Amino acid sequence: MTREEQPPQQPQDDGGLERRIASGLAFLRRRLTGDYEVDDFGYDEELTDQVLMSLLRPVYEKYFRVEVKGVENIPAEGGALIVANHSGTVPLDGLMMQVAVHDHHPAGRHLRLLAADLVFVLPVVNELARKLGHTLACAEDAERLLGKGELVGVMPEGFKGIGKPFGERYKLQRFGRGGFVSTALRKRTPIIPCSIVGAEEIYPMIGNAKTLARLLGFPYFPLTPTFPWLGPLGAVPLPTKWTIQFGEPIPTDGYPPEAAEDPMLMFNLTDQVREQIQHTLYKLLVQRRSVFF
């Protein structure tokens, strides 16, 4: 039989589409019937994996084009505390860090973020944060999660970090009183410094409408080159190029139990973590070619 005489080949159907449809229908059925689980903090792993991560992933991959380094420094199992710088006027950096851990770690680990009180009083945001695994930034919740072997993320700069002026970008603010170090010491879990470059420029904060912020009950009300002057369009973040680097773990299991009550030790470890993050930020800034490429 010549080549011209051969019957046309029919496309092979491997059933992939049918499986995806069946999986989607099963997911919807479980959501409608309530046949799914959430933990004590409200974390919904199935919804996070199948829906929320899918919504965040295009922003992570296509818009901010995040490059991840040092993910091998995150342990494959057991509790660990990731400590990162905080910036960007709107806290998108924590969400991008969650995607980085979930998608790039060989074990596909989930990062549980400690969030500020304001997150849990905002309608809709509160529910989504709980579903994503966020919980209140307090020692009690952090210790419970670490005790269960979870990977916990904290950004000690808080509002001082995300709300700082553009002129102070990539200059770390004070890390509070070192509460995260005390928590890690109590649970004997490693501390992993994390440096994020790119978030500082998504909303260049050139001013702060303090009076309006007080009226609204916000820690600050940002004024950027586009917001609020361009209305809703001004709320679109600039498409900067991000790098997230996880540093080498700082072990805490070699200290005695009473070390968590030693203020000098906490100060020294806090300073060590802060300096490591700051040094890596400077190194990444020197290496990057452009804010946007």
Side-chain angles (χ1 to χ4, degrees):
M1 182 180 293
T2 66
R3 186 173 182 178
E4 288 75 18
E5 293 173 339
Q6 291 178 356
Q9 294 184 355
Q10 297 296 323
Q12 294 183 353
D13 183 6
D14 59 1
L17 179 60
E18 286 82 356
R19 284 196 298 270
R20 288 195 295 271
I21 293 175
S23 176
L25 291 173
F27 171 79
L28 289 175
R29 183 166 58 250
R30 288 193 297 273
R31 308 312 296 188
L32 292 172
T33 60
D35 185 22
Y36 58 91
E37 295 182 358
V38 297
D39 70 5
D40 296 340
F41 299 92
Y43 173 50
D44 190 330
E45 183 174 344
E46 183 184 52
L47 184 68
T48 296
D49 286 346
Q50 298 198 27
V51 178
L52 300 180
M53 283 293 166
S54 298
L55 295 175
L56 291 171
R57 196 167 286 121
V59 180
Y60 174 93
E61 294 179 348
K62 306 298 183 184
Y63 198 77
F64 293 136
R65 295 146 291 145
V66 181
E67 179 183 2
V68 180
K69 299 180 179 181
V71 73
E72 67 277 1
N73 288 318
I74 300 173
E77 58 184 17
L81 187 67
I82 295 180
V83 182
N85 59 303
H86 206 12
S87 64
T89 305
V90 175
L92 297 179
D93 48 3
L95 298 175
M96 296 300 102
M97 187 166 62
Q98 277 191 282
V99 180
V101 173
H102 182 274
D103 285 6
H104 292 273
H105 194 278
R109 299 202 65 180
H110 295 87
L111 179 62
R112 309 292 295 271
L113 287 175
L114 304 180
D117 300 13
L118 180 61
V119 170
F120 301 106
V121 298
L122 296 174
V124 181
V125 174
N126 169 38
E127 289 297 322
L128 288 175
R130 290 290 185 187
K131 296 294 186 184
L132 271 166
H134 302 178
T135 189
L136 195 63
C138 64
E140 291 79 8
D141 283 4
E143 288 187 22
R144 285 177 61 195
L145 287 170
L146 290 172
K148 293 169 61 178
E150 298 281 0
L151 195 60
V152 178
V154 62
M155 294 172 159
E157 291 176 281
F159 290 122
K160 300 188 300 295
I162 56 174
K164 64 177 178 287
F166 187 64
E168 297 180 15
R169 60 193 180 279
Y170 298 113
K171 296 178 181 178
L172 292 184
Q173 305 299 298
R174 193 170 67 88
F175 268 22
R177 301 176 182 177
F180 68 91
V181 169
S182 177
T183 299
L185 285 169
R186 285 193 178 91
K187 306 310 293 185
R188 304 175 71 81
T189 54
I191 300 172
I192 302 170
C194 176
S195 302
I196 304 173
V197 164
E200 293 275 16
E201 295 91 358
I202 61 173
Y203 294 109
M205 186 168 162
I206 58 176
N208 178 14
K210 295 181 180 180
T211 302
L212 186 55
R214 283 196 297 270
L215 290 173
L216 295 173
F218 295 160
Y220 57 88
F221 189 89
L223 303 176
T224 77
T226 59
F227 182 83
W229 331 114
L230 299 183
L233 184 62
V236 177
L238 296 177
T240 57
K241 175 74 170 62
W242 288 36
T243 301
I244 299 178
Q245 179 161 335
F246 299 97
E248 293 185 4
I250 298 172
T252 64
D253 55 358
Y255 296 96
E258 62 271 16
E261 309 301 329
D262 184 345
M264 186 56 66
L265 175 62
M266 284 192 291
F267 175 82
N268 289 335
L269 281 176
T270 300
D271 194 54
Q272 180 183 350
V273 174
R274 187 179 181 278
E275 286 301 315
Q276 188 167 331
I277 295 172
Q278 184 70 82
H279 176 75
T280 303
L281 286 175
Y282 287 149
K283 184 172 67 175
L284 292 174
L285 288 170
V286 169
Q287 292 173 352
R288 78 171 174 175
R289 297 172 299 169
S290 164
V291 172
F292 298 101
F293 305 103

Tab-separated table of all heavy atoms in Angstrom, residues 89 205 207-210 212-214 216 218-223 227-228:
chain	number	residue	atom	x	y	z
A	89	THR	N	2.839	47.455	49.054
A	89	THR	CA	1.615	48.242	49.296
A	89	THR	C	0.389	47.354	49.461
A	89	THR	O	-0.414	47.537	50.365
A	89	THR	CB	1.383	49.275	48.172
A	89	THR	OG1	2.553	50.086	48.037
A	89	THR	CG2	0.198	50.157	48.481
A	205	MET	N	4.670	53.478	46.129
A	205	MET	CA	3.948	54.334	47.068
A	205	MET	C	4.696	55.655	47.246
A	205	MET	O	5.740	55.720	47.878
A	205	MET	CB	3.799	53.620	48.410
A	205	MET	CG	2.937	54.361	49.405
A	205	MET	SD	2.524	53.293	50.805
A	205	MET	CE	2.015	54.490	52.030
A	207	GLY	N	3.063	58.492	48.345
A	207	GLY	CA	2.406	59.292	49.366
A	207	GLY	C	1.456	58.454	50.196
A	207	GLY	O	1.135	57.312	49.849
A	208	ASN	N	1.010	59.028	51.308
A	208	ASN	CA	0.114	58.333	52.219
A	208	ASN	C	-0.938	59.318	52.725
A	208	ASN	O	-0.602	60.284	53.412
A	208	ASN	CB	0.912	57.749	53.390
A	208	ASN	CG	0.030	57.044	54.407
A	208	ASN	OD1	-1.135	56.747	54.143
A	208	ASN	ND2	0.577	56.794	55.586
A	209	ALA	N	-2.197	59.074	52.347
A	209	ALA	CA	-3.294	59.933	52.797
A	209	ALA	C	-3.697	59.492	54.207
A	209	ALA	O	-4.622	58.701	54.395
A	209	ALA	CB	-4.467	59.834	51.830
A	210	LYS	N	-3.000	60.020	55.211
A	210	LYS	CA	-3.168	59.550	56.583
A	210	LYS	C	-4.566	59.814	57.133
A	210	LYS	O	-5.125	58.990	57.856
A	210	LYS	CB	-2.108	60.187	57.479
A	210	LYS	CG	-0.688	59.769	57.125
A	210	LYS	CD	0.323	60.407	58.061
A	210	LYS	CE	1.740	59.987	57.709
A	210	LYS	NZ	2.744	60.608	58.614
A	212	LEU	N	-7.426	60.027	55.496
A	212	LEU	CA	-8.348	59.072	54.887
A	212	LEU	C	-8.122	57.669	55.455
A	212	LEU	O	-9.082	56.920	55.682
A	212	LEU	CB	-8.153	59.070	53.367
A	212	LEU	CG	-9.133	58.228	52.543
A	212	LEU	CD1	-10.573	58.629	52.839
A	212	LEU	CD2	-8.833	58.396	51.050
A	213	ALA	N	-6.884	57.326	55.705
A	213	ALA	CA	-6.574	56.021	56.289
A	213	ALA	C	-7.222	55.875	57.662
A	213	ALA	O	-7.798	54.823	57.990
A	213	ALA	CB	-5.062	55.828	56.384
A	214	ARG	N	-7.145	56.931	58.482
A	214	ARG	CA	-7.773	56.875	59.822
A	214	ARG	C	-9.277	56.737	59.716
A	214	ARG	O	-9.898	55.995	60.479
A	214	ARG	CB	-7.388	58.126	60.612
A	214	ARG	CG	-5.975	58.108	61.167
A	214	ARG	CD	-5.806	59.172	62.237
A	214	ARG	NE	-6.000	60.512	61.706
A	214	ARG	CZ	-5.022	61.272	61.207
A	214	ARG	NH1	-3.782	60.794	61.168
A	214	ARG	NH2	-5.273	62.477	60.743
A	216	LEU	N	-10.975	55.305	57.388
A	216	LEU	CA	-11.325	53.975	56.892
A	216	LEU	C	-10.865	52.863	57.822
A	216	LEU	O	-11.221	51.696	57.630
A	216	LEU	CB	-10.720	53.759	55.500
A	216	LEU	CG	-11.269	54.664	54.384
A	216	LEU	CD1	-10.470	54.460	53.095
A	216	LEU	CD2	-12.743	54.401	54.148
A	218	PHE	N	-7.676	51.953	58.164
A	218	PHE	CA	-6.537	51.277	57.553
A	218	PHE	C	-5.238	51.803	58.150
A	218	PHE	O	-5.170	52.952	58.601
A	218	PHE	CB	-6.524	51.497	56.033
A	218	PHE	CG	-7.682	50.873	55.305
A	218	PHE	CD1	-8.033	51.307	54.036
A	218	PHE	CD2	-8.412	49.848	55.884
A	218	PHE	CE1	-9.095	50.739	53.356
A	218	PHE	CE2	-9.479	49.264	55.218
A	218	PHE	CZ	-9.825	49.717	53.950
A	219	PRO	N	-4.185	50.991	58.131
A	219	PRO	CA	-2.893	51.474	58.640
A	219	PRO	C	-2.283	52.559	57.756
A	219	PRO	O	-1.440	53.336	58.206
A	219	PRO	CB	-2.023	50.214	58.660
A	219	PRO	CG	-2.674	49.281	57.688
A	219	PRO	CD	-4.132	49.565	57.758
A	220	TYR	N	-2.658	52.603	56.494
A	220	TYR	CA	-2.201	53.626	55.561
A	220	TYR	C	-3.145	53.634	54.364
A	220	TYR	O	-3.885	52.672	54.123
A	220	TYR	CB	-0.759	53.364	55.096
A	220	TYR	CG	-0.579	52.004	54.458
A	220	TYR	CD1	-0.796	51.801	53.100
A	220	TYR	CD2	-0.212	50.904	55.231
A	220	TYR	CE1	-0.657	50.556	52.525
A	220	TYR	CE2	-0.072	49.650	54.659
A	220	TYR	CZ	-0.300	49.486	53.305
A	220	TYR	OH	-0.171	48.248	52.748
A	221	PHE	N	-3.145	54.727	53.612
A	221	PHE	CA	-3.905	54.787	52.358
A	221	PHE	C	-2.927	55.222	51.282
A	221	PHE	O	-2.510	56.371	51.235
A	221	PHE	CB	-5.076	55.765	52.435
A	221	PHE	CG	-5.994	55.698	51.251
A	221	PHE	CD1	-7.074	54.830	51.246
A	221	PHE	CD2	-5.762	56.480	50.123
A	221	PHE	CE1	-7.915	54.748	50.143
A	221	PHE	CE2	-6.600	56.404	49.022
A	221	PHE	CZ	-7.682	55.535	49.028
A	222	PRO	N	-2.526	54.294	50.403
A	222	PRO	CA	-1.436	54.582	49.475
A	222	PRO	C	-1.825	55.529	48.350
A	222	PRO	O	-2.939	55.492	47.829
A	222	PRO	CB	-1.099	53.198	48.917
A	222	PRO	CG	-2.388	52.443	49.001
A	222	PRO	CD	-3.049	52.930	50.258
A	223	LEU	N	-0.866	56.361	47.988
A	223	LEU	CA	-0.965	57.193	46.791
A	223	LEU	C	0.187	56.770	45.880
A	223	LEU	O	1.356	56.812	46.272
A	223	LEU	CB	-0.831	58.675	47.142
A	223	LEU	CG	-1.838	59.230	48.165
A	223	LEU	CD1	-1.517	60.680	48.492
A	223	LEU	CD2	-3.269	59.101	47.662
A	227	PHE	N	-2.741	55.421	41.258
A	227	PHE	CA	-3.882	55.290	42.177
A	227	PHE	C	-3.869	56.409	43.211
A	227	PHE	O	-2.821	56.716	43.781
A	227	PHE	CB	-3.824	53.937	42.904
A	227	PHE	CG	-4.982	53.688	43.825
A	227	PHE	CD1	-6.177	53.201	43.346
A	227	PHE	CD2	-4.873	53.970	45.188
A	227	PHE	CE1	-7.244	52.982	44.209
A	227	PHE	CE2	-5.937	53.761	46.045
A	227	PHE	CZ	-7.126	53.259	45.550
A	228	PRO	N	-5.052	57.052	43.444
A	228	PRO	CA	-6.387	56.764	42.897
A	228	PRO	C	-6.726	57.537	41.629
A	228	PRO	O	-7.874	57.567	41.203
A	228	PRO	CB	-7.302	57.190	44.056
A	228	PRO	CG	-6.572	58.344	44.667
A	228	PRO	CD	-5.105	58.037	44.543
